[in-house]
């Protein structure tokens, strides 16, 4: 059995100081910048700005409208909406991102308390998960909602002595909140519940059958409010008309498994954190660490689900990257030594966690500061963009660009700063699976799930038009939106980052430039 001492770490105010210090380390990089230019973050902020503009009857009503169905991806919209009466949009966005960074440790602490009746030092290791690949790609709705899913699972475990259907009723109502925050987080919670029920059934050798049937019925009943939302209110999170699904390569699965510990950094730092799971396994072997029984079966089922998850599911990218972060939280929350650990070992462990978190936070600080400088340059450039413009964004995706701070996958949505600051229509804003959609007249000039175009696509689109059947499909649930762009857009923003992108079509007239980008007006000839 796991060691059952009163604490598995420092105690009292010393433990509190460790957690407060680590929390400060992870949030300072975010709170110290104006615009955290990470992945989809500008996209999310642009969507919230559009929603506010639509409510006020502003310029964006010419471009966008609210969809008729309910959308289960609203974590950031709701939380930032609550903050907006007191905070500017960019500040409220940074606060929400800070909450996302704190979710792994909050979830791990709550789950450990529910499973073991104590917290101790061990959940502090979840601060090492704060800066992960999902954060780097800006999957903020999911990160926040996934934390809520684990918190709800902790509550489910804690209420184990309640009457089964009373427990299911309360957790089912809360599951509806998780589902609306992010649909896949609701799915992740159901996977955890399935693991819990399998583990309990295995302990009793699947007997008595009547009790097991009632337990499973109560567990399944939690989904009734979500089914009502999905069927009765048409809740959907589907991009585009197609439904692409594919599993991915073995290399994709290895990359997905490293999602919890990967964040853009110098190569030696990336290698160090990639080795952390192996180091953790070695330490667990040396200390005879076991996973607490209430979390063992859920962890196994979650691991199997993560391995089976496709890379793209119904056009939703990175499905296989979403469960490993929850598995890491479960393993941290459930880790318990089977023999006493000396105070010296505990102190050394705390020091190692602090050093590693400080190293991670330091790398994040340097990266975010560099990106913030570039965001400031872009925003300054966009002052020359007339409000309400239709803006096409070009990015060569050339890693050799001398001024490029990090890969395009982490900065590709920078052009959406134009939507926030200048009420611009930018074609690759995520729509349809979000609480906004493009008006019918503009749907050929936008794609619900797409990205910036390359210089070659810009050149091709200048002389070609959409075929009679409409724009050809492109990506997962999207379509080609740049054919015939001179009649679809007023301005073009070229994000070259100092790279030579070759000749541009003749119908572009430069109106402003900064070292990393140039803004052009589309002329009539």
């Amino acid at each position: 059995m796991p060691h059952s001492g009163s604490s598995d770490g420092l105690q009292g105010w010393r433990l509190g100081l460790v957690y407060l210090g680590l929390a400060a380390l992870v949030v300072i990089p975010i709170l110290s910048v104006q615009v955290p230019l990470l992945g989809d973050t500008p996209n999310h902020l642009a969507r919230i700005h559009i929603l506010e503009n639509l409510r006020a009857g502003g310029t964006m009503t010419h471009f966008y409208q609210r969809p008729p169905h309910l959308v289960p991806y609203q974590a950031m919209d709701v939380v930032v909406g609550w903050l907006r009466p007191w905070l500017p949009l960019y500040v409220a966005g940074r606060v929400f991102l800070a909450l996302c960074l704190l979710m792994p440790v909050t979830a791990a602490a709550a789950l450990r308390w529910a499973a073991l009746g104590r917290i101790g030092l061990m959940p502090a290791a979840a601060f090492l998960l704060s800066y992960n690949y999902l954060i780097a790609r800006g999957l903020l709705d999911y990160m926040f909602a996934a934390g809520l899913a684990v918190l709800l699972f902790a509550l489910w475990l804690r209420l184990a002595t309640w009457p089964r259907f009373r427990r299911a009723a309360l957790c089912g109502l809360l599951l509806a909140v998780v589902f609306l925050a992010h649909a896949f987080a609701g799915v992740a919670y159901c996977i955890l519940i399935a693991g819990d029920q399998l583990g309990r059934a295995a302990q009793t050798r699947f007997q008595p059958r009547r009790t097991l049937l009632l337990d499973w019925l109560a567990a399944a009943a939690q989904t009734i409010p979500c089914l009502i939302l999905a069927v009765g209110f048409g809740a959907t999170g589907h991009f585009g008309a197609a439904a692409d699904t594919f599993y991915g390569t073995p290399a994709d699965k290895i990359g997905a498994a490293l999602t919890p510990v990967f964040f853009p950094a110098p190569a030696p730092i990336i290698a160090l954190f990639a080795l952390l799971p192996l180091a953790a396994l070695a330490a667990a072997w040396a200390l005879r660490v076991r996973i607490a029984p209430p979390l063992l079966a859920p962890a196994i089922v979650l691991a199997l689900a993560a391995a089976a998850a496709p890379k793209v599911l119904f056009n939703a990218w990175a499905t296989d990257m979403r469960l490993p972060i929850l598995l890491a939280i479960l393993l941290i929350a459930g880790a318990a030594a089977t023999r006493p650990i000396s105070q010296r070992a505990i102190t050394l462990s705390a020091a190692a966690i602090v050093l590693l978190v400080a190293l991670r936070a330091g790398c994040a600080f340097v990266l975010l500061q560099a990106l913030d400088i570039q965001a400031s340059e872009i925003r300054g450039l966009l002052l020359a963009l007339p409000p309400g413009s239709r803006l096409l964004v070009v990015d060569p995706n050339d890693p050799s660009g001398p001024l490029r701070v990090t890969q395009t996958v982490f900065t590709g949505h920078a052009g959406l700063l134009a939507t926030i600051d200048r009420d611009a229509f930018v074609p690759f804003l995520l729509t349809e699976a979000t609480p906004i959609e493009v008006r019918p007249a503009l749907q050929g000039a936008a794609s619900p799930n797409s990205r910036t175009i390359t210089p070659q696509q810009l050149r091709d689109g200048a002389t070609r038009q959409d075929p009679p059947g409409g724009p050809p499909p492109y990506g997962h649930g999207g379509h080609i939106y740049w054919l015939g762009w001179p009649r679809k857009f007023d301005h073009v923003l070229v994000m070259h980052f100092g790279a030579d992108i070759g000749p541009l079509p003749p119908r572009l007239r430069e109106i402003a430039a900064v070292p990393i980008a140039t803004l052009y007006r589309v002329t009539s000839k």
Side-chain angles (χ1 to χ4, degrees):
M1 294 293 292
H3 180 54
S4 58
S6 60
S7 175
D8 55 349
L10 304 176
Q11 299 184 36
W13 63 269
R14 294 182 179 85
L15 184 62
L17 283 179
V18 170
Y19 277 93
L20 286 175
L22 291 172
L25 281 174
V26 300
V27 301
I28 283 175
I30 292 297
L31 300 182
S32 64
V33 298
Q34 179 68 24
V35 181
L37 204 61
L38 288 175
D40 291 348
T41 302
N43 203 310
H44 294 311
L45 293 175
R47 180 182 69 249
I48 295 169
H49 171 75
I50 291 170
L51 290 171
E52 294 176 352
N53 193 279
L54 292 179
R55 286 193 291 268
T59 305
M60 309 309 292
T61 57
H62 300 301
F63 306 138
Y64 301 101
Q65 60 190 15
R66 294 296 299 267
H69 54 267
L70 187 64
V71 175
Y73 297 109
Q74 301 195 44
M76 189 171 183
D77 298 13
V78 172
V79 176
V80 172
W82 287 341
L83 297 173
R84 285 291 285 122
W86 299 279
L87 297 174
L89 179 59
Y90 285 115
V91 177
R94 295 199 303 273
V95 171
F96 181 79
L97 182 49
L99 292 176
C100 292
L101 296 179
L102 297 177
M103 265 302 187
V105 69
T106 303
L111 195 55
R112 191 172 184 82
W113 174 73
L116 295 174
R118 63 181 189 271
I119 295 178
L121 177 65
M122 190 62 198
F127 280 113
L128 295 170
L129 309 178
S130 293
Y131 286 99
N132 55 67
Y133 190 71
L134 300 181
I135 288 291
R137 294 299 298 267
L139 276 65
L140 306 186
D141 281 327
Y142 176 73
M143 277 301 301
F144 188 84
L148 295 181
V150 178
L151 291 174
L152 180 56
F153 183 58
L155 179 64
W156 170 264
L157 295 180
R158 199 66 182 179
L159 299 181
T161 58
W162 277 31
R164 57 172 66 89
F165 286 101
R166 179 184 172 193
R167 177 194 189 194
L170 173 60
C171 291
L173 291 174
L174 295 176
L175 175 57
V177 175
V178 174
F179 172 75
L180 289 176
H182 196 288
F184 196 79
V187 172
Y189 173 79
C190 293
I191 293 172
L192 293 173
I193 291 296
D196 175 61
Q197 294 303 304
L198 283 172
R200 293 178 183 276
Q203 287 178 350
T204 62
R205 297 185 178 182
F206 296 90
Q207 297 294 333
R209 293 183 179 179
R210 182 176 183 280
T211 300
L212 290 180
L213 177 61
L214 290 174
D215 287 345
W216 277 95
L217 286 175
Q222 295 180 81
T223 63
I224 292 176
C226 295
L227 294 175
I228 292 173
L229 290 173
V231 177
F233 295 89
T236 179
H238 190 251
F239 285 111
D244 293 343
T245 296
F246 66 86
Y247 186 72
T249 66
D252 291 331
K253 297 306 160 189
I254 294 173
L258 293 176
T259 294
V261 293
F262 179 84
F263 190 82
I269 305 301
I270 291 176
L272 172 64
F273 278 85
L275 291 174
L276 275 184
L278 294 178
L281 286 175
W285 179 269
L287 296 173
R288 297 181 184 176
V289 171
R290 299 291 184 269
I291 302 301
L295 300 183
L296 180 58
I300 293 173
V301 171
L302 192 62
L304 293 174
K311 184 177 181 63
V312 174
L313 177 64
F314 300 135
N315 296 334
W317 173 82
T319 308
D320 55 353
M321 296 183 182
R322 300 173 191 258
L323 294 179
I325 185 74
L326 296 186
L327 178 59
I329 291 172
L330 247 69
L331 294 178
I332 290 172
T338 58
R339 60 185 181 187
I341 303 175
S342 68
Q343 189 62 41
R344 180 181 179 184
I346 292 172
T347 302
L348 290 174
S349 298
I353 291 172
V354 170
L355 287 174
L356 287 171
V357 172
L359 179 62
R360 171 69 92 197
C363 292
F365 182 86
V366 172
L367 174 64
L368 288 166
Q369 289 292 323
L371 291 174
D372 195 42
I373 292 172
Q374 295 193 336
S376 179
E377 291 183 11
I378 295 169
R379 298 180 69 196
L381 174 68
L382 292 172
L383 292 175
L385 180 70
S389 297
R390 297 169 299 170
L391 181 67
L392 182 65
V393 183
V394 180
D395 189 323
N397 194 17
D398 182 0
S400 65
L403 301 179
R404 190 177 291 279
V405 173
T406 187
Q407 301 173 45
T408 305
V409 294
F410 304 119
T411 59
H413 286 236
L416 283 156
L417 298 177
T419 299
I420 303 168
D421 291 351
R422 308 299 289 172
D423 288 346
F425 173 81
V426 178
F428 53 86
L429 179 81
L430 294 174
T431 55
E432 294 189 11
T434 68
I436 56 175
E437 63 183 15
V438 177
R439 288 196 173 276
L442 290 166
Q443 288 180 358
S447 179
N449 189 14
S450 195
R451 61 178 73 93
T452 58
I453 67 172
T454 65
Q456 185 57 49
Q457 289 168 333
L458 180 72
R459 289 186 281 269
D460 291 343
T463 57
R464 297 173 57 194
Q465 302 295 326
D466 290 332
Y474 180 73
H476 306 303
H479 57 253
I480 293 174
Y481 59 82
W482 58 87
L483 298 182
W485 59 261
R487 63 179 177 82
K488 295 178 179 179
F489 297 94
D490 311 307
H491 293 80
V492 175
L493 175 65
V494 178
M495 305 282 297
H496 50 70
F497 295 95
D500 180 10
I501 62 172
L504 295 178
R507 293 185 58 178
L508 296 177
R509 179 174 296 174
E510 180 179 328
I511 60 174
V514 292
I516 64 170
T518 305
L519 181 64
Y520 298 89
R521 180 167 60 88
V522 180
T523 63
S524 58
K525 294 183 179 179

